[in-house]
Amino acid sequence: MPVPPSAPHTPHHQHPDPRRWWALCVLGLAQLMILLDSTIVNVALPSMQTELGMADGDRPWVVTSYTVAFGGLLLLAGRIADHAGRKRVFTWGLVGFAVASAAAGAAPTPQALFAARAVQGAFAALLAASALALVATTFTDPRERRKAIAVFGALGGAGASLGVVLGGLLTQWFGWRWCLLVNVPIALLALLGTGWTPPDRAQRLTGRIDIAGAVLGCGGLTAVVYACSRAEARAWTSPGMLGVLLAGAALLTAFAWWQTRAAAPLLPPRLMRDRRRVASLLAGGALMAGQLSVSLYLTYYLQTVLDWSALASGLGFLPISLVTTTTATQLGTRLLPRLGPRVMMTAGLCISACGLFQLTLLDPDSTYAANVLPALITFSVGMGGSFLAIMTGATSDVPAQDSGIASATVNSAQQMGGSVGSAVFNTVAASAATAFHGSRRAATLHGFTSAIWIPLVLLLLAAVATATLAGRRSTRIYACANTSPSNPGEFRKAQRSAHHGA
């Protein structure tokens, strides 16, 4: 029988704060805003380019500047949250994100827009790392925690899909600047709501942040995310791209080596000794690669093959949000305690892969209702069923003072998986479409049906990894993780007990 996921160490006498569900609303609103901003500008890119006089080669920087700063700074943001306090960093993130969004919406030049988007990404990293950590430390009851994580993650997924719809509406009715300015009232509303959330009583880390680890880890992540973001415009084999990728790999290798020797590592190696957590991170990266690939596929298929408008195409994404949310909150929360993370992750990844396989069968005569919608439902059921297990497996049994870095690690794995997966997907789709002899519609469809095999295989490989790795936690990890190092006597006692029990 699987070991139930547990919350970070909390004294038994401490009663749950009645304001914890209000806190979930505020945290979920911030999560929705972060992922909303990652997709809302896509529809508005042509309008931005026209008004600001942006060159074709510079246009991708509207997205790249945000994703590079967001993905590259996540690990550092997580450790800052552990040192300064999760709620305080969350508040900083909201203020900074609102100011950066206002600056981006009022940008007079492309360079000003790129700079503001990079600042948005930096504060989004603070928000993402601290928000998930606050969910983990606020909800200490395993049953409530599963439900909270399901709602939190579902809101984030809804934000990514809602961004396409809202981006089309705002661009069409009010102009592209409102795709950025809309974040200001959302952030201010969340900031106002923090006044009624429970205080952050979870233990903080003391001492200095691992600066060397931050430079190596954030530098490596930034290089890899940048290379993947620019791979579509430049060939993978070009000297510039290969150089950046190799530099990123070298920095990440040095980061892993340094973490085993640093006195206070940025990413404590003990967190990565848990096989279930490693499996959850791999599954999270593969699932994000699949989700972004489906978004790219669906955007081009609906607009190029079916000739739908941008607004209609955005509405075509809604079933993904609805099915994923329903599956996670209604089915996932009930099945996870019975089946355990390994079964839920493995089954969910396989079901999502089946949905991608259905997309490979589309042809120019396929219809949305008969062919596209069933594939989206299948993919979304798998995503909703697996992501709760992924988030639970990655954040459970973590000491409270490590909750920020654990949450940042989950986000980093997803960001890396999404960046690499979508870049490879785009490259393969473009190459297959170019080599195909036929109409533009047929070539576009051929390119995407060929490329969708990439995330499909990634999902199946991740399913093998979860089935192999995500078994029962070792007694040593489980016992020690639920004992706070702030109580050295209890910690050493738990270590001795776990050692003899193992």
Side-chain angles (χ1 to χ4, degrees):
M1 187 173 180
V3 178
S6 67
H9 177 73
T10 304
H12 294 293
H13 64 270
Q14 182 176 326
H15 297 289
D17 195 298
R19 296 170 292 176
R20 63 193 182 281
W21 294 108
W22 172 252
L24 179 62
C25 295
V26 175
L27 298 171
L29 184 62
Q31 176 75 350
L32 184 145
M33 179 183 65
I34 295 169
L35 293 179
L36 176 78
D37 206 67
S38 65
T39 58
I40 195 172
V41 298
N42 291 344
V43 179
L45 284 177
S47 300
M48 292 180 182
Q49 183 176 8
T50 301
E51 183 173 330
L52 296 179
M54 201 181 301
D56 289 340
D58 292 337
R59 185 176 59 188
W61 279 105
V62 177
V63 177
T64 302
S65 56
Y66 180 86
T67 57
V68 168
F70 181 34
L73 295 175
L74 274 167
L75 289 180
L76 179 59
R79 229 25 173 177
I80 290 174
D82 288 332
H83 279 266
R86 270 66 57 173
K87 185 174 180 180
R88 179 182 297 176
V89 171
F90 181 75
T91 304
W92 292 347
L94 288 174
V95 173
F97 199 86
V99 172
S101 297
T109 64
Q111 291 72 27
L113 176 60
F114 302 152
R117 289 285 289 166
V119 176
Q120 271 189 306
F123 282 103
L126 291 176
L127 281 174
S130 57
L132 181 57
L134 283 170
V135 172
T137 55
T138 301
F139 293 88
T140 55
D141 178 74
R143 182 178 299 179
E144 287 189 347
R145 192 163 179 260
R146 285 191 295 269
K147 185 180 297 184
I149 290 177
V151 173
F152 180 81
L155 286 172
S161 299
L162 182 62
V164 183
V165 182
L166 192 58
L169 286 172
L170 292 174
T171 302
Q172 183 174 331
W173 292 347
F174 302 104
W176 67 265
R177 294 186 182 276
W178 278 99
C179 292
L180 298 162
L181 294 174
V182 70
N183 293 316
V184 177
I186 298 176
L188 293 179
L189 182 62
L191 185 63
L192 182 65
T194 58
W196 288 274
T197 58
D200 178 20
R201 294 191 176 94
Q203 183 181 358
R204 300 180 190 177
L205 281 178
T206 57
R208 296 181 179 179
I209 294 178
D210 178 16
I211 300 299
V215 172
L216 293 172
C218 294
L221 287 173
T222 300
V224 172
V225 173
Y226 168 78
C228 293
S229 300
R230 300 291 288 171
E232 185 182 3
R234 303 179 181 181
W236 283 93
T237 55
S238 66
M241 287 298 97
L242 283 177
V244 175
L245 282 173
L246 290 176
L251 287 172
L252 291 177
T253 301
F255 171 74
W257 171 83
W258 174 251
Q259 295 309 281
T260 63
R261 288 158 176 77
L266 187 74
L267 177 59
R270 64 180 177 272
L271 295 180
M272 305 308 294
R273 294 191 186 110
D274 185 342
R275 295 191 305 168
R276 185 186 296 175
R277 182 168 294 112
V278 173
S280 300
L281 297 178
L282 292 174
L287 195 63
M288 182 58 70
Q291 183 181 358
L292 291 184
S293 298
V294 168
S295 297
L296 290 167
Y297 188 124
L298 194 59
T299 298
Y300 282 94
Y301 181 82
L302 295 180
Q303 295 189 32
T304 303
V305 179
L306 298 185
D307 293 324
W308 284 20
S309 67
L311 178 58
S313 300
L315 294 174
F317 280 84
L318 289 181
I320 298 179
S321 299
L322 295 175
V323 176
T324 300
T325 302
T326 303
T327 304
T329 56
Q330 302 302 316
L331 189 64
T333 53
R334 290 175 171 82
L335 291 181
L336 182 60
R338 302 178 182 180
L339 301 180
R342 176 167 61 175
V343 174
M344 290 294 291
M345 280 191 283
T346 304
L349 293 170
C350 289
I351 293 172
S352 291
C354 291
L356 296 187
F357 177 74
Q358 290 176 266
L359 290 177
T360 67
L361 304 177
L362 296 181
D363 58 48
D365 297 323
S366 298
T367 64
Y368 180 84
N371 305 102
V372 178
L373 185 58
L376 297 183
I377 291 175
T378 304
F379 177 78
S380 302
V381 167
M383 188 163 61
S386 60
F387 100 87
L388 174 58
I390 290 170
M391 302 296 278
T392 301
T395 59
S396 293
D397 301 323
V398 176
Q401 64 270 22
D402 286 332
S403 59
I405 191 62
S407 303
T409 305
V410 182
N411 284 291
S412 295
Q414 292 178 327
Q415 188 72 13
M416 288 284 288
S419 297
V420 176
S422 59
V424 174
F425 176 86
N426 267 329
T427 303
V428 174
S431 300
T434 302
F436 185 81
H437 299 288
S439 65
R440 178 172 175 267
R441 293 172 69 246
T444 299
L445 182 58
H446 173 75
F448 284 120
T449 52
S450 300
I452 204 67
W453 284 98
I454 302 297
L456 193 159
V457 170
L458 286 178
L459 288 175
L460 293 178
L461 290 176
V464 173
T466 57
T468 305
L469 297 175
R472 188 185 185 95
R473 292 189 193 273
S474 71
T475 308
R476 181 190 301 271
I477 293 172
Y478 184 75
C480 295
N482 285 282
T483 308
S484 173
S486 63
N487 299 313
E490 293 183 17
F491 186 66
R492 288 192 294 269
K493 182 180 179 181
Q495 283 185 311
R496 290 194 298 270
S497 177
H499 176 73
H500 294 308

